[in-house]
Amino acid sequence: MVTGAGQGIGEAVTRALVAQGARVVAVDREPAGVEELAARYPDGQVVGRKLDVTDGAAVDALVDEVERTVGPLDILVNVAGVLRAAPVVDLTDTDWAETFAVNTTGVFHTSRAAARLMGGRRSGSIVTVGSNAAGVPRSSMAAYAASKAAATMFTKCLGLELARSQVRCNVVSPGSTDTAMQRQLWSDEAAARGVIEGDPSTYRVGIPLGRIAAPSDIADAVVFLVSDRARHITMHDLYVDGGATLRA
């Protein structure tokens, strides 16, 4: 199951998993994207469903339906996310609450539902798509960064709890990626060059590799972490940001 699969990274993850032979339940709170995605796979490799991850009861019900009608849930990828960009003094209570409801509480809802099943079967993999903003302060992104930091630590704690059950939980933390969310921060196409080169006025370094990630770059990292090639990797946070955070 892939959340936030209607566009961007979630869609790319869905396609990448299908290419590896998985049958994917693609979910999004806006159904049009996942329904269109499912229609491109007439053999049923993609099942589109509407889901608001902030609704715990709805998450539990859908996971139960997936188990009954599609098959055992072996992989969960948490991609659904929202961004409310504003200086802290201008952030509204609604901005803050909605950001955490999707980016953090949504991850809790889906991961809890999956973990209950995977733990009992002693098999499964959960990957949360976080952000490099979770580890580096960003101007006007306090709510987003804080929510992603919380989701990252939640996923690692879950991984510790599930380790004896052989269920692995990891994080992929993208940097700037060419998605609709990224483009909402741009005033024009020249803004992409600014992201690559950096902005000293906001204390933001650029991207050493000299390019903005494609959604497929993030999807490839997810596919690796859910595969048997990563069978001895859990509680890991894999940054896929072209070196933008200068992590040691």
Side-chain angles (χ1 to χ4, degrees):
M1 187 166 78
V2 179
T3 73
Q7 62 180 346
I9 293 172
E11 180 182 349
V13 168
T14 299
R15 290 179 174 277
L17 288 171
V18 169
Q20 294 298 313
R23 188 179 186 194
V24 181
V25 178
V27 304
D28 201 293
R29 67 181 177 183
E30 299 295 336
V34 292
E35 289 173 356
E36 180 181 345
L37 182 59
R40 297 176 191 171
Y41 294 92
D43 55 1
Q45 279 185 285
V46 176
V47 178
R49 289 288 186 273
K50 179 179 179 180
L51 178 67
D52 182 351
V53 295
T54 69
D55 184 340
V59 169
D60 289 343
L62 181 62
V63 170
D64 180 65
E65 177 193 337
V66 168
E67 287 276 311
R68 289 184 289 102
T69 64
V70 180
L73 182 61
D74 299 315
I75 294 168
L76 168 67
V77 186
N78 294 304
V79 186
V82 297
L83 170 63
R84 303 285 186 266
V88 170
V89 294
D90 296 326
L91 270 175
T92 67
D93 289 354
T94 299
D95 289 334
W96 181 268
E98 289 184 352
T99 300
F100 271 82
V102 177
N103 297 358
T104 308
T105 305
V107 170
F108 163 65
H109 286 155
T110 55
S111 299
R112 179 181 61 181
R116 287 169 172 164
L117 300 167
M118 293 177 179
R121 285 195 287 262
R122 298 182 61 81
S123 176
S125 180
I126 296 172
V127 172
T128 295
V129 174
S131 171
N132 66 353
V136 178
R138 301 290 195 207
S139 297
S140 297
M141 295 183 68
Y144 181 79
S147 68
K148 290 294 189 176
T152 294
M153 187 51 70
F154 165 79
T155 302
K156 290 182 177 182
C157 290
L158 180 62
L160 180 61
E161 293 179 8
L162 293 177
R164 293 294 179 89
S165 298
Q166 305 304 305
V167 177
R168 299 181 297 105
C169 301
N170 291 291
V171 179
V172 171
S173 291
S176 296
T177 305
D178 191 0
T179 63
M181 180 182 289
Q182 176 70 40
R183 288 177 175 269
Q184 81 180 57
L185 300 173
W186 298 352
S187 56
D188 53 49
E189 287 301 315
R193 176 53 52 185
V195 171
I196 293 171
E197 294 179 350
D199 182 6
S201 69
T202 58
Y203 309 99
R204 182 166 182 162
V205 301
I207 304 175
L209 284 182
R211 59 183 288 271
I212 292 175
S216 59
D217 295 319
I218 316 306
D220 286 345
V222 170
V223 169
F224 165 69
L225 285 173
V226 302
S227 75
D228 289 341
R229 291 175 296 163
R231 68 179 185 177
H232 205 56
I233 300 175
T234 193
M235 295 177 277
H236 182 67
D237 187 0
L238 176 58
Y239 274 51
V240 186
D241 66 357
T245 49
L246 307 182
R247 285 172 62 87

